[in-house]
Amino acid sequence: MAEQKKQSYDVIVVGSGASGGWACKRLTEAGLKVALLEAGRPQSDKNFTEHKPAFELKFRNKAPEIIRKTRPIQLKFGVCNEYTYNWFVNDLEEPYTTPTDKPFNWMGRLRMTGGRTNVWGRVSLRFCDWDFKSASHDGYGEDWPLSYKDIEPYYDLVERYVGITGSAEGLEHLPDGQFLPPVPLTCQETIFRNRVKEKLGRTVMPARTANLTKPINGRGPCHFCGPCERGCMTHSYFNSAFTTVADALATGNCTLISNAMAYKVLMDAERNRARGVLYVDRVTRQPREISAHVVILCAQSQESVRILLNSATPQYSNGLANSSGVLGHYLTAHVRSGGGSGEFPALGAKASLGAPIKPLGIYIARFRNLRNEPPYKKFLRGFGYEGESSTKFNWGAPGFGEAYKTALREPRTSIDITGFGEVLPRWDNFVELDPHVKDVYGIPVLKIHMSDGENERAMIQDMGDSAGEMLEAAGAKNIRTYAHPSAPRWALHEAGIARMGSDPKKTVLNQFQQTHDIKNLFVMDASGFTSNPCQNPTLTIMSLAVRSCDYLMSEMKRNSI
Ligand SMILES: Cc1cc2nc3c(=O)[nH]c(=O)nc-3n(C[C@H](O)[C@H](O)[C@H](O)COP(=O)(O)OP(=O)(O)OC[C@H]3O[C@@H](n4cnc5c(N)ncnc54)[C@H](O)[C@@H]3O)c2cc1C
Ligand code: SF4
């Protein structure tokens, strides 16, 4: 078996997305030598197509059948389209399985430098102590082994670098951050915000997203072209490929090894230490080994846990670092299948095919089960909403000729809101290796067991009902609401299958995402989340990764790792 060129690395980081990018940046800027193993291809500005019209594409972005042949799961989320599909995993080459009665769409599996941050929605929200200590408040599950004050300086640091547009709202349960100026609300968003506050006391705000409204580190402000998921030549949204990873490479201390599919962590059994990683070169399909002093997995929750399960040894027969037996369990995501839409007067706005497109809309802060309020009877925890307004031509207008042309130009102005709700961590939502299926590289794949519980079902119903209530309070017309079962379509925020905690018997990682069992092995993506609050996870993923890297470096200085 080939050994990667005989360079010695301090750290191997597996995965170059939100968490891996930050780990590489933090460690290499401090002088450590890092090998970054990334299963995908290198990303480049040349691949970005945000300004390319569909008529320049071979199939005009109108032939999903072409994409379905290789990416039937990835295609289910609109960001995988003719512009971007070859950034995504080939579902046939790298499958996963589910029990027949529990379908699960594992979407957003990227195979490019930058991982999911190439196509993410960029909504960036802080967690708070109400989230970290939720078990103490309502008795369900476990508290996180850290508090808001532990992570707050890292939120500040990450936000200043990433660039988050947003408005300070002074909410205890959704802390303000280091915001760039907010993108103004549209007229109908302003009406909605004001009336919902006035009549229901709920807070509607400009979405807090990783889109620049001021230049940062040579990245230009957003010019409102719209489709960030196709890349951005001015680097105006946050994508690890052209930010954290680029910074790490610029130090000269980071070696990016692309097309490197990590298979397992290699162990020195006698010393109970990770000694490196075995990976498969996706181009040659040859296995290769690489060694380092420390191994950090940042491959996204399911992918990192798959690596740990595939790394079983005689000492750790049910998966590496799994003396607790909880590795793979407590899979959570977000439910996002309740919401609604309504129409508002256009207030002079005209539909246009060439107008600037805001790449972000509104966010409605959680309003159920807050501190100093009686517990909501129907479910635990809560949800927020993402939403957006639009002013479109009335394509469905009846008639023909001049009358039709006039009616077509009569704008349809609406607001859509979608709930994003916390899924309770449950033992019986879990991943394991499927003993019968391997991917094209010969690596055993995951079997994912995930379904809604009572709490999620009640929450989804409330997402639909409350959407209707708010749209009505705001005076919307033609209100439509929905509340579907969540499975098999989940929000792309999976977390929790190598959970953090102070008790090694009940958890896999400590508060610094270091495995309890093996000192020089860390998992710095969302698999460490002890619970999965309704706020989008990535800002917290990145902030925790920086915090854990600082801990790692201080331990290395003390020779404790
Ligand atoms: C369409 C979409 C919209 C989203 N919107 C939001 C949002 O608005 N707000 C928010 O907070 N979050 C959002 N997310 C989620 C967000 O993108 C993720 O939380 C975040 O990127 C996870 O970071 P990560 O480092 O764990 O993994 P990723 O960013 O996915 O990076 C993992 C990397 O590891 C690589 N990898 C995987 N397996 C291996 C292996 N075996 N060997 C080597 N490399 C491997 C992958 O190729 C990938 O590059 C969205 C995601 C998607 C897909
Ligand atoms: S909308 Fe803004 S951030 Fe998105 S691609 Fe266009 S310029 Fe870049």
Side-chain angles (χ1 to χ4, degrees):
M1 187 168 304
E3 171 94 12
Q4 178 66 28
K5 55 185 174 176
K6 284 284 176 206
Q7 185 170 349
S8 77
Y9 295 104
D10 296 309
V11 180
I12 296 168
V13 173
V14 177
S16 67
S19 55
W22 267 105
C24 286
K25 175 176 164 65
R26 195 68 173 170
L27 299 173
T28 55
E29 287 181 345
L32 295 186
K33 297 279 180 208
V34 173
L36 172 55
L37 294 188
E38 168 52 57
R41 290 178 286 125
Q43 185 56 290
S44 146
D45 288 9
K46 290 192 192 117
N47 297 328
F48 297 159
T49 55
E50 75 274 24
H51 297 152
K52 190 171 186 161
F55 64 75
E56 286 183 17
L57 297 177
K58 188 168 177 196
F59 300 106
R60 313 287 191 263
N61 203 22
K62 296 272 185 220
E65 277 314 314
I66 306 290
I67 302 162
R68 193 166 291 126
K69 283 184 184 156
T70 53
R71 289 156 178 91
I73 305 289
Q74 305 310 307
L75 180 66
K76 292 183 184 186
F77 206 80
V79 295
C80 177
N81 52 40
E82 193 181 338
Y83 289 97
T84 55
Y85 70 94
N86 65 1
W87 297 0
F88 287 78
V89 82
N90 179 320
D91 289 314
L92 310 185
E93 291 185 352
E94 297 187 46
Y96 62 94
T97 63
T98 62
T100 43
D101 60 338
K102 290 186 179 175
F104 178 88
N105 288 323
W106 185 6
M107 298 176 288
R109 297 178 70 194
L110 273 288
R111 287 292 178 263
M112 296 296 283
T113 302
R116 288 181 169 193
T117 63
N118 282 284
V119 298
W120 69 315
R122 307 163 308 283
V123 175
S124 299
L125 303 167
R126 292 185 177 203
F127 296 179
C128 63
D129 272 336
W130 194 241
D131 303 309
F132 293 129
K133 306 297 172 197
S134 51
S136 291
H137 301 305
D138 62 25
Y140 185 89
E142 303 284 335
D143 284 342
W144 289 52
L146 53 92
S147 304
Y148 183 69
K149 69 173 171 30
D150 298 314
I151 191 174
E152 188 177 15
Y154 294 94
Y155 277 141
D156 289 345
L157 180 156
V158 167
E159 285 169 343
R160 285 199 184 101
Y161 174 88
V162 166
I164 313 286
T165 164
S167 58
E169 302 285 342
L171 300 175
E172 187 187 7
H173 57 285
L174 193 63
D176 296 327
Q178 304 295 328
F179 296 135
L180 298 176
V183 176
L185 298 176
T186 62
C187 293
Q188 64 268 36
E189 288 167 353
T190 307
I191 292 173
F192 187 69
R193 170 180 162 101
N194 293 345
R195 291 186 182 161
V196 168
K197 183 58 123 188
E198 193 185 306
K199 296 197 178 151
L200 299 169
R202 297 175 190 164
T203 303
V204 180
M205 64 188 86
R208 297 172 175 178
T209 71
N211 290 85
L212 301 188
T213 51
K214 275 182 163 181
I216 294 185
N217 301 330
R219 298 165 53 211
C222 173
H223 51 265
F224 302 106
C225 66
C228 310
E229 69 280 0
R230 289 171 11 203
C232 181
M233 288 175 200
T234 49
H235 297 178
S236 308
Y237 78 100
F238 177 82
N239 175 338
S240 319
F242 50 66
T243 55
T244 47
V245 174
D247 281 2
L249 293 173
T251 64
N253 291 327
C254 180
T255 305
L256 170 61
I257 305 171
S258 297
N259 294 306
M261 184 76 192
Y263 184 159
K264 55 176 77 174
V265 176
L266 298 167
M267 285 293 289
D268 176 340
E270 268 175 35
R271 296 167 65 220
N272 190 38
R273 289 182 62 83
R275 64 176 175 82
V277 171
L278 170 70
Y279 68 92
V280 179
D281 183 316
R282 285 159 56 94
V283 179
T284 64
R285 308 246 168 132
Q286 292 302 305
R288 297 176 72 92
E289 282 188 15
I290 185 166
S291 313
H293 189 67
V294 175
V295 174
I296 306 178
L297 301 181
C298 294
Q300 187 270 336
S301 301
Q302 292 100 305
E303 302 279 14
S304 287
V305 168
R306 178 184 173 200
I307 295 169
L308 290 175
L309 292 171
N310 271 318
S311 307
T313 64
Q315 190 188 352
Y316 297 101
S317 56
N318 59 350
L320 199 57
N322 190 20
S323 64
S324 63
V326 304
L327 183 70
H329 289 272
Y330 302 110
L331 175 62
T332 68
H334 283 149
V335 285
R336 47 157 287 174
S337 53
S341 64
E343 291 180 16
F344 286 79
L347 300 172
K350 295 268 178 251
S352 160
L353 291 178
I357 302 168
K358 258 198 337 165
L360 55 104
I362 52 172
Y363 187 77
I364 305 170
R366 171 179 169 180
F367 48 85
R368 296 286 184 225
N369 291 317
L370 298 180
R371 204 152 79 93
N372 300 326
E373 286 181 12
Y376 192 63
K377 291 207 176 69
K378 294 182 180 165
F379 53 82
L380 300 175
R381 314 288 162 90
F383 59 89
Y385 290 89
E386 293 180 21
E388 59 185 6
S389 65
S390 59
T391 301
K392 292 184 181 149
F393 291 106
N394 184 9
W395 297 109
F400 55 89
E402 202 47 46
Y404 173 70
K405 284 188 196 164
T406 309
L408 173 78
R409 284 196 215 100
E410 211 35 60
R412 282 284 163 270
T413 304
S414 59
I415 287 190
D416 282 79
I417 55 175
T418 305
F420 276 71
E422 174 163 357
V423 171
L424 296 179
R426 296 204 318 270
W427 174 265
D428 52 358
N429 281 337
F430 70 102
V431 303
E432 62 180 344
L433 292 180
D434 188 319
H436 307 295
V437 185
K438 291 181 175 172
D439 66 15
V440 286
Y441 311 107
I443 305 174
V445 308
L446 284 186
K447 183 165 190 173
I448 302 176
H449 305 249
M450 178 78 160
S451 61
D452 283 342
E454 271 310 307
N455 206 67
E456 287 83 54
R457 282 192 279 274
M459 191 182 277
I460 292 166
Q461 188 56 51
D462 191 35
M463 285 173 176
D465 295 346
S466 297
E469 183 187 25
M470 287 188 282
L471 288 160
E472 203 168 316
K477 304 280 177 264
N478 294 332
I479 295 170
R480 294 189 182 90
T481 63
Y482 59 92
H484 307 304
S486 180
R489 181 186 172 133
W490 291 81
L492 303 132
H493 300 160
E494 300 96 334
I497 36 183
R499 54 185 359 200
M500 285 188 277
S502 13
D503 184 350
K505 291 203 182 68
K506 285 162 60 177
T507 57
V508 179
L509 306 175
N510 67 15
Q511 60 160 305
F512 299 106
Q513 297 170 302
Q514 178 183 34
T515 61
H516 289 299
D517 292 344
I518 301 157
K519 272 187 161 186
N520 66 337
L521 177 60
F522 291 72
V523 189
M524 293 192 190
D525 50 39
S527 33
F529 282 23
T530 315
S531 62
N532 199 356
C534 66
Q535 298 92 308
N536 310 48
T538 309
L539 180 64
T540 302
I541 293 175
M542 297 191 283
S543 307
L544 283 177
V546 182
R547 177 174 184 263
S548 297
C549 284
D550 284 2
Y551 165 82
L552 161 62
M553 290 189 286
S554 70
E555 290 297 283
M556 283 174 85
K557 273 193 195 126
R558 296 196 308 125
N559 286 327
S560 300
I561 287 188

